[in-house]
């Protein structure tokens, strides 16, 4: 069995998460890791894990396009977001990721916090006449400013999560 881990990163958070997942998964099976920008062909892989940073409750546009064109039926998703994974926003993102996996054999989803790009915060602060109510805009700015990178422990948990998911997948596949 051969897998691929693809990631899209803006500030390096998702890349770091992908690298930790890669280190764990390579302990149990052959796997390669690439930035989505590399436009790697997906032929010859039995499973894929795709990582993204969250934009408006979903994987960022570049990653979302990749997810939508993946022909590999065994797929897992991981993301970094500027809110905590157990927050209301994090729960919404989790539901959106699960929905993206409906047509695949799901290898799971995982969220880790990630520091919001300061350029994004500045852009939010500079928006005038937004269609978003003032209270919500202020909450978005505050949450973004308070965002943080995932801890080493959180990243290790993500790696172990996918290592376990892939291990179960490999066992089920070998029993067929």
């Amino acid at each position: 069995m051969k897998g691929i881990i693809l990631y899209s990163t803006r500030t390096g958070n998702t890349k770091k998460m992908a690298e930790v997942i890669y280190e764990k998964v390579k302990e149990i099976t052959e796997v390669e890791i690439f930035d989505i920008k590399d436009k790697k062909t997906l032929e010859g892989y039995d499973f894929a894990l795709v990582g993204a940073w969250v934009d408006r409750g979903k994987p960022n546009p570049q990653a979302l396009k990749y997810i939508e064109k993946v022909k590999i039926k065994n797929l897992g998703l991981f993301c970094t977001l500027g809110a905590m994974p157990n927050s209301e926003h994090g729960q919404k993102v989790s539901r959106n990721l699960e929905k993206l996996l409906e047509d695949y054999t799901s290898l799971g989803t995982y969220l880790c916090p990630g520091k919001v790009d300061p350029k994004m915060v500045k852009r939010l602060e500079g928006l005038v006449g937004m269609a978003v109510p003032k209270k919500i805009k202020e909450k978005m700015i505050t949450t973004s400013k308070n965002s943080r990178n995932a801890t080493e422990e959180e990243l290790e948990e993500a790696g172990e999560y996918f290592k376990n998911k892939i291990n179960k997948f490999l066992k089920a596949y070998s029993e067929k």
Side-chain angles (χ1 to χ4, degrees):
M1 296 296 281
K2 186 176 178 183
I4 186 168
I5 298 172
L6 299 156
Y7 64 88
S8 176
T9 194
R10 185 175 188 131
T11 62
N13 295 321
T14 310
K15 178 181 181 184
K16 190 171 183 180
M17 187 177 180
E19 290 170 342
V20 172
I21 293 168
Y22 167 76
E23 289 298 324
K24 294 291 183 181
V25 173
K26 80 175 188 176
E27 293 173 9
I28 59 170
T29 193
E30 185 180 353
V31 66
E32 296 179 315
I33 183 172
F34 297 95
D35 188 316
I36 283 176
K37 290 180 196 170
D38 294 338
K39 297 184 172 54
K40 180 76 175 146
T41 179
L42 300 178
E43 291 176 31
Y45 295 98
D46 300 299
F47 69 88
L49 302 176
V50 179
W53 49 276
V54 172
D55 182 31
R56 296 179 209 146
K58 294 182 179 177
N60 63 287
Q62 188 180 22
L64 193 55
K65 283 181 191 173
Y66 225 93
I67 293 164
E68 290 170 347
K69 73 176 186 176
V70 168
K71 300 286 188 253
I72 301 169
K73 281 296 182 189
N74 308 300
L75 180 65
L77 303 174
F78 59 96
C79 292
T80 56
L81 70 159
M84 293 306 290
N86 62 352
S87 68
E88 183 179 330
H89 181 61
Q91 292 171 13
K92 176 184 172 189
V93 172
S94 288
R95 288 189 298 273
N96 289 341
L97 294 180
E98 291 295 335
K99 190 171 177 93
L100 285 170
L101 290 175
E102 285 178 349
D103 295 331
Y104 298 91
T105 299
S106 174
L107 298 176
T109 64
Y110 205 92
L111 296 176
C112 273
K115 185 98 175 121
V116 174
D117 183 348
K119 292 176 190 170
M120 294 288 278
V121 177
K122 288 252 187 261
R123 218 176 282 146
L124 269 174
E125 290 173 328
L127 290 176
V128 179
M130 264 177 77
V132 176
K134 185 178 179 181
K135 263 186 164 178
I136 293 173
K137 176 184 168 185
E138 289 171 358
K139 184 177 180 183
M140 288 168 63
I141 292 169
T142 301
T143 301
S144 295
K145 286 182 175 180
N146 293 333
S147 66
R148 65 168 177 82
N149 289 325
T151 64
E152 291 301 319
E153 184 178 301
E154 288 167 327
L155 294 172
E156 287 292 318
E157 287 173 9
E160 286 295 330
Y161 172 84
F162 280 111
K163 180 180 175 180
N164 291 333
K165 289 286 191 176
I166 299 301
N167 202 26
K168 286 179 186 173
F169 167 71
L170 294 172
K171 284 180 182 175
Y173 185 82
S174 69
E175 292 172 2
K176 287 183 180 182

